């Protein structure tokens, strides 16, 4: 129930703050802030409740099952395991920051903005929780529309174009996933006689290699567009660049992660053989992404665009790690999801903070800011270093585990990916050089971070350093999920277990189905 | 007391943290107290810990702070491992570091980034300590990258100058190239040993591999890659001369005494792997030999005081690599320590000169400082003598002589190594005293603006004393056979087995070395003091070669041409992302179809009728004639 | 009636239909277009009668009556519209009525 | 015709009587309000009467009609749709000084025609229903006489509809000539016992497809749609888009199922080609359209293509999908044209994209409702359109019509572009200068309530489609 409550809370909070804006903008902001903070508090309390070390083997912490569209075997089925917990914690953490970061930036249509913001967060929450494929697709799409509005209404100069591109790319790939979901549904139904979209039922479906591969492509394409993987990445630089700061924060921090999450949650467990068979190609794509993203990032002059391309590069590690098929790499991926969310999010916040002050994102027009804003410079330095994978910061742990895991799978690709770190250094340092070091060419004068901005950036710093030095809790939390997705080969066992857990539901289906809905 | 080992890296870290958090709000005195004080405390602690350690007689002490991360087979801890090797390093780091901090208080006093400078410097010391104390390679990598970061920050300390930023980035990126190789080496090690704990690896390696095992060789080369990057050896040496853009104390601490020798530390630390991989070890020696030569020749042609010293550093580290290449581990470490003393001294003295002369770097615009800055002159001279390895009195002589001798006599040594080292010795003497003569002799060309105070001179004198006396803890057996240092290291680092019946030549070798060093000194004296026009003639007659050496053998140009330009070119040309063209193309195609179809919708009734008729004919044709 | 083969009757209807069709295509005057459509409708009616006669059922003729009625209704509305069009365009050229396009 | 038959046709009687009642009422006194009330009441009465029918009930009215669950459901749908059209018409026609009362007669007659169409099981009733619908539509399209485009649209529709009717009739005649029956069941029986379909029957069906295709507005019989949509008054456009097309879809489903047309690969091929062409051409034509009415016309071409995918999928799920999609499409289209009608003014309809610029900031609720409708057309979750599309895809995948399904997906993406373009314009910062004149507040309340009901049912079906699905499943048997 708690899980549904989370989503409802966010949706209700969104609507309420939307209306409250008619009374007072400040009240609207506060309400939004409080809503997300409550959600965050709930997740933290769950985490504490489950014990911070999370050493238990049973991977499911919470489960909620409400039949929704029984004719299709669709249920409102939410469940949370360690991975979901981590992702939710990240979601609400960044959600809080997204509200804060918009405090000054968003001055028109405040109510509608916060409505959209909270609904994006709600949609993402749904994506991270749902255990029903139909519901998953449902949330997958639901999070797009408010995001589209965030970009399209409050974005920068070229916002319409970016918003279209974002929407169309994700929709196109999402629909292909819907096809796969439906095909899976019918294949599973024909095999077992149980027509259900439930994740745990679907897991056990046996597929012929050919079918398996095609169906996996459907899922894969949705996730790698979101991730994004070169050459499906071109929506991302535009979307990131044009979105308002909160939008970029959510895009980079969370929306990209839904792709990675999908890979771990769905692609590997449901299609173990098929994903193993394309692993080399997928890893190659990852490597290409790492290098291509880095190369593109190097030449960009728009701060946000640059950071966007670094995301492309960093997400390459996720592809590399996921398809390395071992626990280390997968743990690295989980870590990367979180740390990238934080470090790139922070860089976007910095870009936003700069934009608020000097109204440009062109790094060629910046320079020498350190003298004026040493605090901001220090913070930026930390995240630039995080983005180039400096040990001691979270990203290093992620990348190191990913690479060392990937090494077991493919040595050549790992070497190239490791070399990508050199390029990461090149583009990361370029940010520092062009923005904070060098000479202040245009003589911008500006004030250092305000208290509110410190409130946003300092926690991010603390978290990224914390993750760099004490990442074990995160690793422990993700362990059961990672293990499950890893041992995809003997998934039938897990499936059976899951089946018994859900036997009451599935049997309810069978009755329902047998009576009314025959697919001959 | 030894239990407080963890405090040694923690103190500088806290210092850095306080300085960063307070920003520039602290007065320079307090900042200096925190900055230098934390290192001072660490240095005192090092003595106490070292005393405890030696007294305990244990081989090693391990302090586990916390489990860092553990997933799958990989398990890393945040833990410090103290043995005789790391002891030497933390001693040098804290002590030389402390002296340099003291020096910096005066050197940087006027700088507005005073507290930032100390923050970086403290952070550096912390990282360096972690590097040498790490008990596993991941933590070592943390320190490794940490010092890289600090090096970057400090080279680019005066960030408003574009070229400083460039030098800083160059240093970081080039060392990162080496780090990539090292990281791959770690992956390989992990695949083989399922652990990255250094001691576990070292104990298991001999059991797992026979000498010459290909895996060992590959790993050896990969770690060498890392070492070569950090220690500015061929082919990744190009960043160090540019790194002189940083303040002089930085050059002294990071780019002479400590960080650049991290490669030496790494290879020595992993010496068992190299013992098992003779090919890799041979290449360590070859790289050392070549580097010491090309850097030495480059040093001959520089006019920037600090650049001479930079090239000389590369060259001296080349000696250390050469020593490691012949398996003279303790000789390499000995030379590291002595080099740390005299090179820090030289850099600090050079810094004092530069500060005294209004930030003048050009030697040829100095001159005649012998009388004006006597303290500097004498200390510099001691450092220079040590660098040039003037026989019998200087520490440098003993450390370098050991390397020369072992390159000749060691089992893995050979004539080429020896000749390279010998040539290097002459060249060293020449460029060293060229520097001394040009800077301190002749007539003054620039006015002195600042006379160094106590905070500068005291560290100089301490370091001078060390450069002078440091050598006597390890004497060749022809000269007293006093082997305190190598004995101290011997449980850890095996001694070199000599070739059969070669002991007798030791005297000859020492004599040759001594004569060559002195000969070099005399040659320089003639060229730069007696007949200065001669040096100009040589310079103009070999102008091309001179310039070639001056540019560091054109490695920069080569790398620019092969790597940097193509990358930047590709990146620039593709700024708008060629892949996007594909999607734009799709859009254009649909738009083309749109305009084509829209033309059919022309509003003319008969046209619409026609469309129905065509449709009808089509349907009838298909229904009647196509049999699917 | 049996003397006449059903095919011939349908063929006749078909020819009539085609004639109407072609003349809809080539006529520009709206009234003529309307008339041509009427011819097509009547061709269909004829086909119904032929078919009805084949099966000796009244249904074909009933359908024909329906068609006639419908055609009458259609023409009445059609003529009214044509009148309107003529008021506005001052021509009966159907090609002139192409204000809406794109 | 016995008493039972008469009883089961009461919904049709009510419609006819309503038309006559209004006719008399006008002859006594022209009063828009009264006429409007009569129309609404009679539609409501009719609908409530219909709800008393059991959908499991099966009552043939020999030989022409058959009252079964499918028919009743469709009549219900037609009645409700007509009701909504009438509700939005009131405000729309109140603004205009034309003689507005006869409009209600025509629209009721058109509904009657559509109702007959969906329950017919005989060529004669099919023809009668179709023509009652068509002839009323000719007049409805050209109802606003002062608008030049109305007449142009009217005459275009008239000529083309009659032209295609001729095809339909000729096709029927051919089929009749070969089979000797005009009843669907009779034809089916004849075909079953004849092993091979004679050419003449094939040709007959082919020509009938032309007639049907025209009414559906699918490619290549789609040319009339944009012009007629543009030229008609907005409520009439809504009526054409929904009742006229939907009635024909229902008939097609019934006819095809009775004949078990799925075994004839030829016709499946024809419909596949038509579906693919409709999806592509419809969507591509709409891409850069600046007239909202035309844009919706093109989009409706594509949507009929989607519908054909479900139709081609066949089987029970396919039929369910067709009906469900129709319901979703009806709601959405009514909503869209309803908004368009409420924004229109006396001179012209709010049909240009520019009229919508910045609408969100001026009339936020209207804009949100319109956006919801467009998102539903685009098939985005939370809306009925999404469930409809999901249903269609499910049907297509179940019967492995991969080509169609993939093309549908591609087209959804193309379609997305122009829907969100329209939404983006409404959310733009700049605002259009256009304002519509003031009317009696009651008029607004009627429109608003209608829109509110539509948007609520849109979301209700989008979020909780189970009820509707169950109903449809019972209807399709």
């Amino acid at each position: 129930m708690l899980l549904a409550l989370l989503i409802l809370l966010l949706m209700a909070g969104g609507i309420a703050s939307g209306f409250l804006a008619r009374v007072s903008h400040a009240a609207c902001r506060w309400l939004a802030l409080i809503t997300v903070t409550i959600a965050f508090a709930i997740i933290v309390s769950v985490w504490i409740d489950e014990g911070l070390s999370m050493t238990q083997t049973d991977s499911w912490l919470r489960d909620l099952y409400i039949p929704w569209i029984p004719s299709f075997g669709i249920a409102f089925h939410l469940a949370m395991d360690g991975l979901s917990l981590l992702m939710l914690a990240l979601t609400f953490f960044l959600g809080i920051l997204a509200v804060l970061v918009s405090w000054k930036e968003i001055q028109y249509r405040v109510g509608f903005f916060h409505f959209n913001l909270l609904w994006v967060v709600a949609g993402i929450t749904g994506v991270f929780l749902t255990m029903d494929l139909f519901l998953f697709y449902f949330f997958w799409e639901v999070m797009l529309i408010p995001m589209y509005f965030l970009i399209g209404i409050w974005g920068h100069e070229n916002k319409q174009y970016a918003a279209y591109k974002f929407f169309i790319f994700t929709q196109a790939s999402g629909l292909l996933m819907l096809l796969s979901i439906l095909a899976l549904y019918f294949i599973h139904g024909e095999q077992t006689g149980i027509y259900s979209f439930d994740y745990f039922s679907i897991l056990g479906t046996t597929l012929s290699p050919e079918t398996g591969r095609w169906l996996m492509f459907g899922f894969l394409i949705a996730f790698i567009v979101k991730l994004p993987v070169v050459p499906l990445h071109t929506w991302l630089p535009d979307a990131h660049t044009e979105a308002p700061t909160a939008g970029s924060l959510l895009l980079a921090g969370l929306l990209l992660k839904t792709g990675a999450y999908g890979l771990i949650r769905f692609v590997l467990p449901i299609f173990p053989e098929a994903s193993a068979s394309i692993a080399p190609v997928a890893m190659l794509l990852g490597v290409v992404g790492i290098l291509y993203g880095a190369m593109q990032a190097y030449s960009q002059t728009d701060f946000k665009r640059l950071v966007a391309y670094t995301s492309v590069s960093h997400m390459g590690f996720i592809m590399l790690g996921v398809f390395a098929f071992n626990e280390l790499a997968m743990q690295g991926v989980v870590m990367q999801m979180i740390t990238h969310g934080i470090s790139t999010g922070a860089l976007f916040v910095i870009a936003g903070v700069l934009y608020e002050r000097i109204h440009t994102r062109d790094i060629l027009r910046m320079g020498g800011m350190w003298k004026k804003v040493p605090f901001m410079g220090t913070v930026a330095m930390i995240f630039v270093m995080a983005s180039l994978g400096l040990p001691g910061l979270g990203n290093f742990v992620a990348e190191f585990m990913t690479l060392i895991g990937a090494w077991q799978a493919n040595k050549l690709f790992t070497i190239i990916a490791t070399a990508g770190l050199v390029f990461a250094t090149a583009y990361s340092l370029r940010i520092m050089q062009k923005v904070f070091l060098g000479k202040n060419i245009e003589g911008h004068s500006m004030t250092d971070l305000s208290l509110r901005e410190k409130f946003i950036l300092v926690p991010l710093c603390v978290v990224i350093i914390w993750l760099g030095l004490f990442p074990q809790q995160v690793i422990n939390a993700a362990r059961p999920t990672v293990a499950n997705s890893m041992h995809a080969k003997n998934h039938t066992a897990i499936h059976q277990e899951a089946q018994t857990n859900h036997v009451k539901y599935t049997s309810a289906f069978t009755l329902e189905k047998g009576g009314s809905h025959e697919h001959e | 007391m030894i239990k407080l080992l963890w405090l040694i890296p923690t103190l500088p870290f806290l210092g850095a943290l306080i300085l960063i958090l307070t920003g520039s709000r602290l007065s320079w005195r307090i900042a200096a107290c925190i900055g230098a004080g934390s290192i001072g405390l660490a240095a005192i602690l090092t003595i106490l810990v070292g005393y405890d350690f030696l007294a305990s007689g244990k081989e090693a002490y391990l302090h586990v702070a916390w489990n860092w991360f553990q997933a799958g087979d990989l398990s890393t801890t945040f833990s410090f491992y103290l043995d005789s090797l790391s002891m030497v390093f933390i001693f040098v780091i804290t002590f030389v570091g402390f002296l340099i901090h003291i020096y910096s208080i005066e050197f940087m006093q006027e700088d507005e980034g005073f507290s930032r400078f100390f923050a970086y410097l403290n952070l550096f010391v912390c990282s360096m300590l972690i590097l040498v104390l790490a008990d596993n390679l991941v933590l070592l990598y943390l320190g490794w990258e940490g010092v890289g970061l600090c090096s970057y920050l400090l080279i680019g300390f005066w960030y408003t100058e574009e070229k400083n930023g460039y030098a800083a980035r160059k240093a970081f990126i080039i060392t990162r190239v080496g780090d990539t190789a090292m990281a791959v080496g770690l992956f390989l090690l992990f695949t083989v040993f399922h652990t990255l704990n250094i001691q576990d690896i070292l104990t298991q390696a001999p059991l797992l591999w026979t000498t010459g095992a290909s895996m060992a060789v590959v790993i050896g080369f990969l770690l060498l890659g890392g070492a070569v990057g950090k220690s500015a050896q061929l082919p990744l040496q190009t960043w160090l001369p540019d790194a002189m853009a940083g303040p002089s104390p930085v050059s002294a601490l990071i780019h002479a005494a400590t960080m650049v020798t991290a490669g030496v530390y790494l290879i020595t630390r992993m010496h068992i792997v190299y013992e098992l991989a003779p090919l890799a070890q041979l290449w360590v020696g070859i790289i050392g030999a070549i580097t010491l030569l090309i850097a030495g020749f480059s040093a001959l042609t520089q006019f920037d005081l600090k650049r001479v010293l930079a090239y000389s550093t590369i060259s001296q580290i080349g000696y250390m690599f050469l020593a490691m290449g012949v398996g003279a581990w303790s000789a390499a470490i000995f030379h590291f320590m002595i080099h740390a003393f005299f090179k820090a001294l030289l850099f600090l003295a050079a810094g004092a000169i530069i500060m005294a002369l209004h930030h003048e770097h050009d030697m040829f615009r100095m001159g005649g400082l012998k009388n004006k800055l006597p303290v500097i002159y004498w200390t510099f001279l001691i450092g220079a003598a040590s660098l040039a390895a003037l026989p019998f009195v200087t520490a440098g002589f003993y450390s370098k002589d050991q390397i020369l001798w072992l390159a000749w006599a060691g089992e893995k040594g050979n004539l080429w190594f020896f000749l390279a080292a010998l040539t290097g010795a002459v060249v060293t003497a020449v460029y060293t005293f060229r520097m001394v003569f040009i800077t301190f002799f002749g007539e003054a060309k620039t006015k002195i603006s600042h006379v160094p105070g106590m905070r500068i001179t005291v560290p100089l004198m301490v370091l001078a004393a060390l450069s002078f006396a440091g050598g006597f803890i390890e004497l060749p057996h022809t000269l007293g056979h006093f082997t305190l240092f190598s004995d101290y290291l011997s449980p850890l680092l095996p001694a070199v087995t000599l070739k059969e019946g070669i002991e007798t030549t030791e005297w000859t070798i020492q004599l040759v070395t001594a004569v060559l060093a002195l000969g070099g000194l005399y040659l320089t004296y003639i060229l730069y003091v007696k007949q200065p026009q001669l040096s100009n003639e040589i310079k103009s007659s070999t102008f091309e070669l001179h310039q070639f050496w001056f540019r560091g053998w054109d490695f920069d140009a080569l790398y620019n041409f092969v790597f940097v330009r193509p990358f930047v070119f590709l990146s620039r040309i593709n700024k708008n992302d060629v892949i996007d063209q594909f999607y734009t193309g799709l859009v254009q195609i649909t738009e083309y179809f749109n305009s084509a179809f829209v033309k059919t919708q022309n509003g003319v009734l008969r046209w619409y009728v026609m469309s129905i008729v065509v449709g009808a004919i089509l349907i009838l044709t298909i229904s009647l004639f196509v049999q699917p | 009636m049996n003397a006449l083969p059903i095919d011939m009757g349908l063929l006749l209807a078909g020819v009539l239909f085609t004639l109407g069709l072609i003349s809809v295509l080539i006529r520009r005057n709206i009234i003529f277009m309307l008339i041509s459509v009427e011819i097509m409708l009547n061709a269909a009616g004829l086909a119904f009668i032929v078919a009805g006669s084949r099966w000796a059922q009244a249904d074909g003729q009933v359908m024909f009556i329906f068609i006639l009625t419908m055609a009458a209704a259609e023409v009445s509305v059609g003529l009214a519209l044509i009148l309107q069009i003529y008021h506005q365009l001052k021509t009966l050229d159907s090609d002139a009525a192409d204000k809406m396009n794109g | 015709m016995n008493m039972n038959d008469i009883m089961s046709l009461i919904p049709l009687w009510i419609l006819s009587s309503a038309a006559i009642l209004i006719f008399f009422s006008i002859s006594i006194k022209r009063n828009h309000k009264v006429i409007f009330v009569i129309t609404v009441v009679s539609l409501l009465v009719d609908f409530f009467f219909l709800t008393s029918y059991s959908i499991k009930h099966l009552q043939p009215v020999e030989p022409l009609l058959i009252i079964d669950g499918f028919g009743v459901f469709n009549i219900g749908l037609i009645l409700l749709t007509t009701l909504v059209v009438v509700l939005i018409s009131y405000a729309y026609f109140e603004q205009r000084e034309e003689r507005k009362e006869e409009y209600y007669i025509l629209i009721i007659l058109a509904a009657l025609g559509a109702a007959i169409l969906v329950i017919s099981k005989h060529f004669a009733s099919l023809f009668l229903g179709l023509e009652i619908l068509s002839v009323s539509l000719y007049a409805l399209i050209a109802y606003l006489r002062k608008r030049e485009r109305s007449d142009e649209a009217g005459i275009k529709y008239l000529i083309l509809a009659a032209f295609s009717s001729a095809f339909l009739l000729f096709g029927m005649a051919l089929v009749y000539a070969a089979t000797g029956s005009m009843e669907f069941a009779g034809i089916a029986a004849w075909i079953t016992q004849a092993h091979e379909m004679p050419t003449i029957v094939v040709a007959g069906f082919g020509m009938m497809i032309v007639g049907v295709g025209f009414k559906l507005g699918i490619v290549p019989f789609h040319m009339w749609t944009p012009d007629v949509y543009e030229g008609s008054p907005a409520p009439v456009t809504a009526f054409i888009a929904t009742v006229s097309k939907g009635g024909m879809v229902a008939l097609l489903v019934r006819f095809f199922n009775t004949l078990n047309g799925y075994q004839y690969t030829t016709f499946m091929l024809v419909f596949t080609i038509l579906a693919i062409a409709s999806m592509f051409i419809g969507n591509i034509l709409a891409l850069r359209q600046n007239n909202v009415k035309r844009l919706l016309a093109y989009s409706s071409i594509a949507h009929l293509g989607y519908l054909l995918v479900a139709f081609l999928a066949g089987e029970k799920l396919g039929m369910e999908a067709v009906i469900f999609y129709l319901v979703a499409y009806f709601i959405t289209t009514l909503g869209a044209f309803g908004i368009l009608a409420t924004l229109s003014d006396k001179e012209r309809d709010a049909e240009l994209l520019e009229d919508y610029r910045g609408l969100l900031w001026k009339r936020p609720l209207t804009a949100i409702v319109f956006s919801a409708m467009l998102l539903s057309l685009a098939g985005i979750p939370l809306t009925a359109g999404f469930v409809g599309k999901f249903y269609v895809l499910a049907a297509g995948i179940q019967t492995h019509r991969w080509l169609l399904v993939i093309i549908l997906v591609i087209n959804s993406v193309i379609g997305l572009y122009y829907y969100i373009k329209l939404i983006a314009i409404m959310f733009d910062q700049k605002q259009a200068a256009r304002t519509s004149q003031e009317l009696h507040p009651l008029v607004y309340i009627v429109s608003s309530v209608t829109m509110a009901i539509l948007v609520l049912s849109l979301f209700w079906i989008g979020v909780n489609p189970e009820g509707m699905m169950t109903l449809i499943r019972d209807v399709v048997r």
Side-chain angles (χ1 to χ4, degrees), chain B residues 162-198:
Chain B
E162 193 65 39
K163 75 170 178 35
N164 295 357
Y166 175 77
R169 276 178 294 150
K170 183 175 172 187
F172 206 165
I173 291 169
I174 290 180
T175 49
R176 269 241 148 176
V177 174
D179 298 350
T180 303
M182 179 171 158
V184 175
L186 298 199
F187 303 153
L188 256 182
L189 278 170
F190 179 74
T191 329
V192 176
F193 296 101
H194 297 283
T195 177
L196 284 173
N197 185 293
I198 296 172

Side-chain angles (χ1 to χ4, degrees), chain B residues 7-29:
Chain B
L7 211 51
I8 298 179
T10 309
L11 282 170
F13 179 74
L14 288 178
L17 201 62
I18 293 169
L19 291 172
I20 289 171
L21 288 183
T22 51
S24 48
R25 265 165 295 200
L26 297 179
S27 74
W28 74 268
R29 277 173 206 285

Side-chain angles (χ1 to χ4, degrees), chain A residues 165 231-234 292 295-296 299-301 309 371 381 388 391 407 425 438 468-472 479, chain B residues 66 68-70 112 141-142 145 149 153 159-160 165 176 180 187-188 191 567 571 574-575 577 579-580 583:
Chain A
K165 212 168 169 182
L232 300 167
H233 65 285
T234 63
Y292 192 82
M295 186 182 92
Q296 289 300 102
S299 59
Q300 300 308 317
T301 50
Y309 273 112
K371 190 163 283 171
M381 182 64 86
L388 63 77
W407 176 264
T425 318
L469 296 179
F470 308 96
Q472 195 57 40
R479 180 163 291 142
Chain B
W66 70 85
W68 191 6
F69 58 96
Q70 188 273 320
E112 59 178 339
Y141 194 76
L142 182 141
E145 294 287 325
L149 164 69
L153 292 173
Y159 55 82
T160 43
R176 269 241 148 176
T180 303
F187 303 153
L188 256 182
T191 329
F567 173 72
S571 166
N574 195 28
K575 185 179 168 192
D577 209 340
I579 295 174
D580 206 23
Y583 299 104

